[in-house]
Amino acid sequence: MTAPSLTASTLDRSAFDAIAATHPDVVIPLEQTPDWVEFERALGRSPLGIWEYRDVAGALVATASYVHVVRRSRESVVVVNGPVWFAQRTPAAERVLMETVREQFRNHPTAHPLYVRMQVATLQAPATGPIEHGWYEREIVVDLTPSEAGLLKSFRPNARNSIRRAQRNGVTIEHIPREEWKNVFARELFPIMQETAERDGFQSFDSSYYETLLAVLGDHLRLLVAYRDGIPLSWLITTEYRGYAVYYFAGSTHAARSTFAPYLLLWEAFRTLKAAGNTACGLTGIESANYPSLANVTTFKRNFSKNVVVVPTTYDIPLSPVRYRAVSALLAARRAAPAAAGGIVRRASGLVRRSGSGRVSPTAAEM
């Protein structure tokens, strides 16, 4: 017997705020809020709003905020760090939600995605893939409820020693005033991000992304910088929403490592976030099966807590399974062996052309 589908409807800000107020114990990621929708819009992306899902009795099951993404050979709809569950997240409940979402976007008036991407706790049909991973799967979460002394004592000895060594090395921490964020970031901090990306082998956003983040989401952010002798060594941006904080972006120079500046910087961030009433701070992704490249940051983050939280893996929900498999094969062939896979590429490309009928909207970065 098929379970009844859910009722889906969009939420305006007041309706979203009412849901949040009614469920104070549910952790709602900042990426799943109306403020993040405004950030996506300011970047020139195409948010499709926040939707609620209710069962036949009218009880709230989940909410999800969607972004419309268009890239070469595929169009998708992405839920960043969501959905948010308000009912019990069982495998059966997840399947009903996924089926509802699939029908929702098969009939969407403006978006014609190949797939919907979202976090799924139990892999089952219709979820599959993903074509590419879009969010970390494990993170360290620091409990900020102990006293400052208790919090410091909970760190590994290496972290406590490194904090003291940074202080002896003359490292100082500054809270950058909000009115100075854009200029300080562009002038002093983005070059550090570029150095960090080059050293650690990842591609950062351009400066305008971070500057837009600071401008649009300023009510939820803090920008702290570690200096020595007036020279910036390390910086971080934290987010805060409903008592939950996240160590979101950071960059450091080679000199920062030798002076232990990142340890003192993060300790000051914890103290500040705790004083502001936050009860926990997520340190974002650490090493997992799909993200072995996070091994280096894992070593650093483990110094501050033993609390490892598993985050549901991001999967794709294909709206056209045949075409999805063709595009997936095409992309896998391009990544693995473009020259040797010419036949697969040509066959898959032909199927994509024959099956594709989606509209094209302004480009946006895949998440």
Side-chain angles (χ1 to χ4, degrees), residues 3 26 35 43 87 145 162 175 224 231 246-247 251 257 308 317 321 329:
V26 175
D35 290 329
L43 290 172
T145 58
S162 296
H175 296 250
L224 281 69
I231 299 173
V246 179
Y247 169 57
R257 294 186 168 189
V308 177
I317 303 170

Side-chain angles (χ1 to χ4, degrees), residues 24-279:
D25 296 330
V26 175
V27 175
I28 301 175
L30 185 59
E31 299 89 350
Q32 289 294 303
T33 68
D35 290 329
W36 196 272
V37 171
E38 293 307 311
F39 170 57
E40 296 282 3
R41 188 170 287 116
L43 290 172
R45 297 177 178 174
S46 303
L48 298 176
I50 301 176
W51 292 66
E52 68 169 6
Y53 299 89
R54 294 183 179 271
D55 64 18
V56 291
L60 179 65
V61 174
T63 62
S65 181
Y66 297 94
V67 180
H68 185 203
V69 177
V70 177
R71 302 181 72 182
R72 193 178 76 174
S73 81
R74 68 194 188 276
E75 181 178 351
S76 64
V77 171
V78 179
V79 182
V80 183
N81 199 14
V84 181
W85 281 81
F86 296 86
Q88 186 177 2
R89 190 174 193 167
T90 65
E94 275 203 320
R95 176 155 191 159
V96 172
L97 177 61
M98 288 189 289
E99 294 287 1
T100 302
V101 168
R102 185 166 65 169
E103 291 307 309
Q104 172 187 345
F105 285 100
R106 277 177 172 167
N107 300 303
H108 197 277
T110 60
H112 304 278
L114 174 63
Y115 56 86
V116 177
R117 176 166 293 164
M118 62 194 298
Q119 290 173 336
V120 178
T122 302
L123 178 58
Q124 59 183 317
T128 189
I131 285 177
E132 55 197 1
H133 293 282
W135 201 257
Y136 51 81
E137 299 162 329
R138 299 197 307 157
E139 73 167 329
I140 299 286
V141 176
V142 177
D143 180 9
L144 299 179
T145 58
S147 65
E148 276 195 17
L151 180 59
L152 184 62
K153 186 177 180 181
S154 71
F155 299 164
R156 287 183 174 179
N158 179 62
R160 297 195 298 271
N161 292 335
S162 296
I163 291 167
R164 289 190 287 266
R165 293 177 74 174
Q167 292 169 327
R168 290 197 298 268
N169 284 327
V171 176
T172 59
I173 309 301
E174 291 190 19
H175 296 250
I176 306 302
R178 186 168 174 177
E179 62 272 15
E180 298 178 17
W181 282 357
K182 182 176 180 178
N183 289 336
V184 169
F185 188 89
R187 184 180 66 251
E188 299 183 0
L189 307 184
F190 185 63
I192 296 176
M193 173 55 86
Q194 291 175 303
E195 178 183 337
T196 304
E198 183 177 356
R199 181 186 64 233
D200 293 347
F202 67 90
Q203 184 175 357
S204 74
F205 297 105
D206 59 28
S207 186
S208 64
Y209 177 94
Y210 305 98
E211 293 170 34
T212 303
L213 179 90
L214 292 166
V216 177
L217 293 173
D219 289 345
H220 302 288
L221 306 182
R222 297 179 192 273
L223 176 60
L224 281 69
V225 183
Y227 291 91
R228 186 175 70 166
D229 298 329
I231 299 173
L233 301 175
S234 183
W235 61 268
L236 61 77
I237 294 173
T238 60
T239 67
E240 296 167 67
Y241 185 69
R242 284 162 51 96
Y244 189 87
V246 179
Y247 169 57
Y248 214 90
F249 288 119
S252 63
T253 64
H254 180 74
R257 294 186 168 189
S258 62
T259 58
F260 301 92
Y263 289 90
L264 182 61
L265 181 63
L266 193 49
W267 168 231
E268 176 61 19
F270 289 150
R271 294 177 63 248
T272 302
L273 294 168
K274 174 180 170 58
N278 294 282
T279 58

Side-chain angles (χ1 to χ4, degrees), residues 256-308:
R257 294 186 168 189
S258 62
T259 58
F260 301 92
Y263 289 90
L264 182 61
L265 181 63
L266 193 49
W267 168 231
E268 176 61 19
F270 289 150
R271 294 177 63 248
T272 302
L273 294 168
K274 174 180 170 58
N278 294 282
T279 58
C281 181
L283 301 188
T284 66
I286 61 171
E287 183 181 17
S288 65
N290 291 312
Y291 294 96
S293 61
L294 294 176
N296 289 338
V297 296
T298 301
T299 301
F300 172 69
K301 293 175 183 179
R302 282 188 183 277
N303 281 293
F304 298 97
S305 176
K306 298 177 181 178
N307 183 26
V308 177

